[in-house]
Amino acid sequence: MCHFINRIFQSRLLFALTLMVVFYGLFLIPASDHTDRLLGEITNLGHIAAFLIIWTFVFNLFPRFRQMSVLQVFVVVIVTTLVVGELIEIVQGWIGRDDEWQDVWDSGVGALLAIAFCSTQVRGLARRARGIWRAVALITLVIVPWSIWSSLADEMVLRWQFPVLCDFSTPVELSRWNANKAGIQLQKNNKTGGSYLAVEFRPATYSTISLIYFYPDWHSYGHIVFDLTNPDHSDLHIILRMHDDLHKRHRYALNDRYNHMFILKPGRQQISIPLKDVKNAPATRKMDLQHMEDISIFTMQARSNHQLYVNRVYLE
């Protein structure tokens, strides 16, 4: 068995095939739409496995690496990985996938693991030095993929908060939101001591913020409430949009979701929407309130910047 595995790692043909599969499967296939945050984060850990496998092949296939010192291998491997990782992110941005620095760092972790456990240089070190290299690599493996730990923590928080969908009592709640042609940041409320989501809608056909991570089963509740503040001195026209996970099967048709315009007067106010209206919004079916997927707030055809504070979103 060991001989067979060794032959695999010494085959340049298998290395080329593996490289093609890894790069196409992990980096080039367009990502599917999903709201399972943890699944997405676990998928992103494929960057670690990919570069661990790639560098393990490289160490076995190219004897030049065996002539380098530990420091030389470290510099060459890490710098190459970070450069290639960033180029991959640029390509992913071109084909509609997310380009994130976190993925580049995860690729670096995979490279460091390959050096610590698979390079002849580290394997040839004294036991203590070898142990230090591997301990550092394992600690990095735990620390660097920080997004999966913050996502796991927030998944527990959002279930504990329910029926509150978001109240910004923890900083990780910002990760539940996405913005398109809009700016979002958490700000402190000096009067209450809490936080709110400060939104800047920008001039665009659509300037949108979306709550994409929340507990999806709403069927036991009667209303969804938006606690909002319009800090400007003039009215703000916003559109609230909500849909379930079946919406994608209907090609995101306008008449297959809840879509309604509201006028926000200056100051703090609440918008309470009956969930029966949400359920009956699609033209040809009933909204599945047990599998809600997206809540969006957006402006349309805005010609200037507009501010909005989101204090809380909850069911009652």
Side-chain angles (χ1 to χ4, degrees):
M1 183 65 178
C2 292
H3 177 70
F4 176 72
I5 294 174
N6 190 51
R7 288 287 300 275
I8 290 176
F9 280 113
Q10 291 178 352
S11 169
R12 296 195 179 190
L13 175 60
L14 286 175
F15 170 64
L17 292 174
T18 301
L19 196 62
M20 291 173 59
V21 171
V22 167
F23 271 81
Y24 184 74
L26 284 176
F27 306 133
L28 299 181
I29 293 178
S32 60
D33 292 330
H34 63 77
T35 54
D36 191 330
R37 179 168 30 170
L38 287 179
L39 178 60
E41 294 295 343
I42 291 171
T43 301
N44 286 341
L45 293 182
H47 288 258
I48 297 176
F51 280 88
L52 170 59
I53 293 170
I54 289 168
W55 282 114
T56 300
F57 269 109
V58 169
F59 292 155
N60 282 275
L61 290 173
F62 299 96
R64 184 177 180 81
F65 278 90
R66 299 171 194 168
Q67 302 169 8
M68 296 181 180
S69 66
V70 176
L71 181 59
Q72 288 174 324
V73 168
F74 176 80
V75 171
V76 169
V77 169
I78 296 300
V79 170
T80 302
T81 298
L82 295 181
V83 171
V84 171
E86 180 55 25
L87 291 175
I88 289 170
E89 295 306 306
I90 293 172
V91 172
Q92 287 182 331
W94 292 342
I95 63 174
R97 289 186 55 161
D98 292 336
D99 50 328
E100 300 177 352
W101 267 104
Q102 180 64 46
D103 293 342
V104 179
W105 299 129
D106 289 349
S107 301
V109 173
L112 182 59
L113 289 170
I115 295 170
F117 288 91
C118 303
S119 70
T120 56
Q121 287 82 357
V122 172
R123 290 205 305 264
L125 293 175
R127 182 176 180 179
R128 176 171 177 154
R130 185 170 65 248
I132 292 173
W133 271 94
R134 292 179 175 178
V136 169
L138 292 174
I139 291 171
T140 306
L141 175 62
V142 173
I143 294 175
V144 169
W146 57 268
S147 58
I148 192 170
W149 307 122
S150 62
S151 297
L152 179 61
D154 192 44
E155 287 293 321
M156 292 187 290
V157 170
L158 69 82
R159 282 166 172 75
W160 174 77
Q161 285 178 324
F162 191 77
V164 174
L165 302 183
C166 209
D167 65 2
F168 308 104
S169 55
T170 62
V172 291
E173 289 181 51
L174 181 62
S175 66
R176 301 179 194 176
W177 293 80
N178 188 28
N180 182 22
K181 298 181 180 178
I184 56 174
Q185 62 178 335
L186 286 185
Q187 289 190 0
K188 277 286 185 183
N189 188 324
N190 294 327
K191 293 182 179 179
T192 64
S195 298
Y196 59 86
L197 184 70
V199 182
E200 181 180 56
F201 292 114
R202 296 166 182 161
T205 303
Y206 300 102
S207 179
T208 308
I209 62 167
S210 300
L211 178 60
I212 56 176
Y213 299 120
F214 52 83
Y215 196 74
D217 187 355
W218 302 357
H219 82 284
S220 298
Y221 296 85
H223 293 78
I224 181 169
V225 182
F226 295 83
D227 184 349
L228 308 171
T229 299
N230 175 7
D232 295 331
H233 298 294
S234 58
D235 293 351
L236 173 63
H237 292 71
I238 62 168
I239 299 171
L240 282 171
R241 184 182 73 210
M242 290 176 272
H243 66 75
D244 58 8
D245 64 355
L246 293 175
H247 186 50
K248 62 176 70 71
R249 298 184 186 178
H250 294 258
R251 300 178 183 272
Y252 300 99
L254 180 62
N255 66 355
D256 190 65
R257 61 187 180 226
Y258 179 88
N259 212 79
H260 193 81
M261 178 178 285
F262 294 88
I263 300 175
L264 298 181
K265 300 292 183 181
R268 186 166 180 171
Q269 57 221 276
Q270 290 186 343
I271 296 174
S272 181
I273 301 172
L275 287 180
K276 66 179 181 180
D277 291 352
V278 177
K279 184 175 182 178
N280 294 322
T284 60
R285 65 183 182 92
K286 299 295 184 183
M287 189 90 75
D288 184 359
L289 295 181
Q290 291 183 285
H291 298 91
M292 297 301 293
E293 186 173 89
D294 182 273
I295 303 169
S296 293
I297 305 172
F298 63 95
T299 58
M300 188 167 59
Q301 303 292 351
R303 297 183 178 180
S304 60
N305 289 354
H306 296 283
Q307 307 298 317
L308 175 69
Y309 300 159
V310 181
N311 305 301
R312 196 170 179 236
V313 181
Y314 62 96
L315 303 175
E316 62 179 13

